[in-house]
Amino acid sequence: MKKILLLILSTGLFIAASAQTPKTELYDIVKKLLYDSTGYENVGDWAVGKPKKYPVKWNADKVEMSYDTSINFYRRGTADISIKGKTFLTGTEPVKWNVMLKGPRMGYASFSILSSNSTAFKTHYTIDSLFGNKSFKATLLKSCDSKSLGGYYYYELKIPKKDLAYIKFSWISLHGSTAIRIDVYDNWSKYAVKLNCPQ
């Protein structure tokens, strides 16, 4: 009887573990979501019906419509993300990372990755402090890093074999707890990037 109970318990734990998204590095998820360089204008694959294409647990297996014209269509989900091998906590729970793809019906043109708040996060994250020694080239286009509440660094980004992208790393901090956000745009969608400095 004890063996049967142990078998049922271990099977249940295996199923629960396999239902979670695998842990992925921030650089790796950004790279996976960027589209391959083909020499032509591109859009990203929504991956509807392809749950293993991206390390994201989607809220719904469909593309949804938004009335916000800077979004148009979207998919939302969560991911289990580490930064340079480190997992961050909010209290005793892992930080929650929300992922949103945005763009026209035929495919996404930008995406955002947003963390929950954590006292373990710092402010003023640069691309080097988040991507480490991974393979990329980046040019800083604009920054806002003199405010206490929040700020950002905005770069032109080239990852090998991927289209040129524009990436904004921003943070907001209140009472010692910080949330970070990564917004990534292609050449067409970068019109929607918000570059105002917090007051």
Side-chain angles (χ1 to χ4, degrees), residues 32 49 55 77-78 91 130:
K32 281 178 191 283
T78 56
L130 293 171

Side-chain angles (χ1 to χ4, degrees), residues 46-77:
W46 290 111
V48 173
K50 304 175 199 170
K52 294 185 179 177
K53 185 170 177 69
Y54 305 123
V56 178
K57 183 179 179 184
W58 299 110
N59 295 352
D61 193 25
K62 63 180 180 179
V63 177
E64 300 179 70
M65 191 172 84
S66 170
Y67 293 107
D68 184 340
T69 55
S70 69
I71 295 174
N72 293 320
F73 291 87
Y74 67 92
R75 283 194 83 187
R76 277 191 182 137

Side-chain angles (χ1 to χ4, degrees), residues 90-190:
T90 299
T92 58
E93 295 294 316
V95 162
K96 184 178 178 183
W97 295 89
N98 292 293
V99 178
M100 187 177 188
L101 310 181
K102 300 167 275 188
R105 185 68 181 87
M106 62 186 170
Y108 67 87
S110 66
F111 59 91
S112 298
I113 302 170
L114 176 65
S115 77
S116 54
N117 290 355
S118 175
T119 54
F121 284 138
K122 301 172 186 172
T123 60
H124 298 77
Y125 280 112
T126 64
I127 195 166
D128 295 299
S129 63
L130 293 171
F131 283 0
N133 60 2
K134 299 287 188 176
S135 183
F136 69 92
K137 288 182 180 176
T139 303
L140 182 64
L141 301 177
K142 194 166 183 182
S143 64
C144 166
D145 58 4
S146 61
K147 308 292 183 180
S148 58
L149 179 64
Y152 67 81
Y153 294 106
Y154 178 55
Y155 300 88
E156 181 181 86
L157 171 67
K158 185 68 175 84
I159 290 177
K161 300 181 181 177
K162 297 292 182 177
D163 275 354
L164 190 67
Y166 299 85
I167 188 165
K168 178 185 170 191
F169 295 102
S170 56
W171 63 89
I172 186 162
S173 190
L174 198 58
H175 306 301
S177 189
T178 301
I180 59 176
R181 177 178 176 135
I182 301 97
D183 293 293
V184 184
Y185 305 87
D186 65 8
N187 193 49
W188 176 82
S189 65
K190 69 180 181 183

